[in-house]
């Protein structure tokens, strides 16, 4: 994951790992047979700088650059307004396409990303039906996470393919 230019990435990850992340992206991009996906979690702190992420990633020609809406956890101070975040993600996706990058997005309800739904990039769209977390001893069916559909979702044409909103986002 790359979350912005150096100072932004380091502040969000609370490390000085930007250079190491770029080196990892560079090294992985040279491996034959590997589809490199660079993920950027969209936050209040980086959403206005997503085009800079495109510029940083472009020289490494990843298989895909993906912008993901965060699932809220403790300390919600980083979770952006979903409407504002989707605006900046759409702009960055358009910019990335102009630069010749394959783009994707995840975690956004499809109503927030109208016209970009074909770029949905999640476990289901990648045909991953079972997975196991490092702390689990078995494989389990994949799902959309802890998401809910709102009243406004009723009757939406995308309701079957849309995961909805993160439950904790709705509760914020």
């Amino acid at each position: 994951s790359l979350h912005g230019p150096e100072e932004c990435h380091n502040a969000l990850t609370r490390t000085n790992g930007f250079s190491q992340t770029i080196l990892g992206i560079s090294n992985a991009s040279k491996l034959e047979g590997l589809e490199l996906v660079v993920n950027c979690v969209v936050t209040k702190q980086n959403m206005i700088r997503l085009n800079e992420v495109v510029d940083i990633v472009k020289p490494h020609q990843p298989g895909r650059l993906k912008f993901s809406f965060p699932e809220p956890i403790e300390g919600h101070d980083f979770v952006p307004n979903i409407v504002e975040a989707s605006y900046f993600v759409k702009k960055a996706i358009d910019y990335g396409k102009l630069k010749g990058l394959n783009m994707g997005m995840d975690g956004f309800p499809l109503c927030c990303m109208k016209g970009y739904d074909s770029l949905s990039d999640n476990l289901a769209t990648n045909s991953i039906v079972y997975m196991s977390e490092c702390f689990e001893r078995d494989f389990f069916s994949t799902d959309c996470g802890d998401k809910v559909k709102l009243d406004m979702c009723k009757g939406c044409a995308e309701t079957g393919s849309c995961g909805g909103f993160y439950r904790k986002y709705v509760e914020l």
Side-chain angles (χ1 to χ4, degrees):
S1 291
L2 177 69
H3 305 299
E6 186 168 6
E7 70 284 352
C8 184
H9 176 87
N10 288 347
L12 286 167
T13 60
R14 297 181 183 145
T15 68
N16 287 319
F18 177 82
S19 297
Q20 185 176 7
T21 300
I22 295 301
L23 182 60
I25 291 169
S26 177
N27 289 339
S29 71
K30 297 171 189 165
L31 296 174
E32 294 218 14
L34 175 72
E35 181 188 4
L36 174 62
V37 177
V38 176
N39 185 57
C40 176
V41 176
V42 181
T43 67
K44 285 180 184 177
Q45 295 82 355
N46 72 359
M47 68 181 176
I48 64 172
R49 303 188 77 181
L50 300 180
N51 284 2
E52 293 175 71
V53 173
V54 171
D55 290 333
I56 292 166
V57 167
K58 170 67 175 140
H60 306 288
Q61 288 296 306
R64 188 166 49 260
L65 172 57
K66 175 170 113 171
F67 293 109
S68 297
F69 191 79
E71 181 172 3
I73 54 173
E74 292 181 33
H76 307 297
D77 59 327
F78 63 91
V79 179
N81 174 287
I82 202 161
V83 174
E84 290 178 15
S86 62
Y87 169 82
F88 288 109
V89 167
K90 289 175 191 176
K91 294 286 187 192
I93 286 173
D94 292 343
Y95 182 67
K97 284 181 167 183
L98 283 174
K99 295 281 189 171
L101 291 175
N102 184 14
M103 304 298 293
M105 58 88 183
D106 183 28
F108 290 89
L110 296 181
C111 59
C112 292
M113 297 299 292
K114 285 188 193 281
Y116 296 80
D117 52 319
S118 66
L119 300 177
S120 189
D121 184 13
N122 55 43
L123 296 173
T125 61
N126 284 285
S127 300
I128 298 171
V129 293
Y130 294 99
M131 67 179 281
S132 181
E133 300 286 352
C134 64
F135 55 85
E136 297 171 329
R137 298 177 62 90
D138 207 349
F139 284 89
F140 298 93
S141 297
T142 56
D143 57 24
C144 292
D146 191 16
K147 290 189 171 184
V148 296
K149 303 274 175 97
L150 305 178
D151 286 341
M152 65 187 243
C153 300
K154 291 178 183 155
C156 176
E158 302 293 339
T159 196
S161 57
C162 179
F165 293 81
Y166 286 116
R167 181 181 310 279
K168 288 191 178 180
Y169 178 78
V170 174
E171 294 169 357
L172 290 179

